[in-house]
Amino acid sequence: MNATDRYATYPSLRGAGVVVSGGATGLGAQFVTEFAAQGARVGFVDVQEDAGRALVEAVAAAGHPRPEFRRADVRDLAGYQEVLRGLAADLGSVGVLVNNAADDTRHASTGVDPAAWDAGFRVNLDHQFFAVQALAPALRAAGGGSVVNLGSISTHVKLRDLVVYRTAKAAVEGLTRALAIELGADAVRVNCVIPGWVMTARQLEHHVDAEAEATLDREQALARRVQPADVARLVLWLAAEDSAACTGQNWIVDGGWM
């Protein structure tokens, strides 16, 4: 049995228009790849142009629908909305939005000035709302759909030097509930996925050391590490019609840490 044969295929995602932010690397790249493997028409944005274009070629070479990539900085809210509207037009329809872009750079709270605070909220919270605002007409025109906002376990556990990131990600949970109520009448579901410590290339390079490994061994219920594909499989289910009655909820993929 191939690895891809072990997991679910969702007919409702075949041909669906999907938009992913921060899709060039890490979790975002996993989402782009997994949606394309389901036969979805995927558009994604990122500031990392070389990585974005390389991912397009890799997905197409694997025999999946060729994704659409646009360079965009989610902190430029007006410019980002313009890019999203253009991407939606190019895809033809949008039924799924995955708000993934984020920056968890560590920092001491003593060094956070107003500009740094605002920048942290732009990249970790604000763009999620303005992406929904930009694409809500497309979701309504498609007859409804699914928005998946990425939160963070850091909001719920004892991690240091992340005060701006943790605060912004806590607000993502409130944003999710507010938008679920507002958009429910249009058959648009809004959910929040809260990953644990996911073993992306960035985390492995910069943050996963012996101390981090010891923390995970002590705190997680499962004796394994959370991988990008673990999170992607939950995102796929929330995007698909299999979760049609689920909205306004937090969904946790952390190996039993919380």
Side-chain angles (χ1 to χ4, degrees), residues 142-168:
S146 175
V147 175
V148 180
N149 298 326
L150 270 292
S152 172
I153 194 174
S154 67
T155 297
H156 301 276
V157 300
K158 295 178 180 178
L159 293 176
R160 297 181 181 277
D161 299 330
L162 284 168
V163 63
V164 179
Y165 180 78
R166 292 183 68 172
T167 307

Side-chain angles (χ1 to χ4, degrees), residues 103-161:
D103 183 355
D104 68 344
T105 299
R106 273 53 169 173
H107 53 78
S109 60
T110 54
V112 176
D113 60 18
W117 182 270
D118 290 345
F121 268 66
R122 283 289 181 102
V123 75
N124 291 307
L125 171 67
D126 297 357
H127 71 88
Q128 296 201 15
F129 170 77
F130 287 98
V132 175
Q133 185 185 68
L135 292 180
L139 291 165
R140 292 187 182 101
S146 175
V147 175
V148 180
N149 298 326
L150 270 292
S152 172
I153 194 174
S154 67
T155 297
H156 301 276
V157 300
K158 295 178 180 178
L159 293 176
R160 297 181 181 277
D161 299 330

Side-chain angles (χ1 to χ4, degrees), residues 29-207:
Q30 189 76 39
F31 299 155
V32 170
T33 301
E34 298 273 4
F35 274 112
Q38 294 280 335
R41 296 171 292 107
V42 185
F44 70 101
V45 302
D46 206 293
V47 292
Q48 301 182 69
E49 189 163 358
D50 289 345
R53 299 199 182 284
L55 180 60
V56 168
E57 298 305 323
V59 170
H64 305 313
R66 187 181 188 87
E68 295 284 340
F69 168 65
R70 301 288 183 275
R71 188 191 184 283
D73 187 337
V74 299
R75 296 169 297 182
D76 174 11
L77 299 174
Y80 180 44
Q81 286 192 315
E82 184 177 353
V83 169
L84 289 177
R85 293 185 185 105
L87 190 53
D90 290 340
L91 290 174
S93 65
V94 173
V96 179
L97 167 63
V98 182
N99 282 319
N100 168 71
D103 183 355
D104 68 344
T105 299
R106 273 53 169 173
H107 53 78
S109 60
T110 54
V112 176
D113 60 18
W117 182 270
D118 290 345
F121 268 66
R122 283 289 181 102
V123 75
N124 291 307
L125 171 67
D126 297 357
H127 71 88
Q128 296 201 15
F129 170 77
F130 287 98
V132 175
Q133 185 185 68
L135 292 180
L139 291 165
R140 292 187 182 101
S146 175
V147 175
V148 180
N149 298 326
L150 270 292
S152 172
I153 194 174
S154 67
T155 297
H156 301 276
V157 300
K158 295 178 180 178
L159 293 176
R160 297 181 181 277
D161 299 330
L162 284 168
V163 63
V164 179
Y165 180 78
R166 292 183 68 172
T167 307
K169 286 297 190 177
V172 169
E173 297 179 24
L175 176 67
T176 296
R177 288 188 288 274
L179 290 174
I181 293 169
E182 182 170 335
L183 298 177
D186 296 310
V188 177
R189 297 174 287 113
V190 187
N191 287 283
C192 180
V193 168
I194 300 175
W197 204 332
V198 185
M199 299 296 103
T200 63
R202 171 182 166 84
Q203 294 300 314
L204 290 169
E205 180 179 356
H206 297 289
H207 302 304

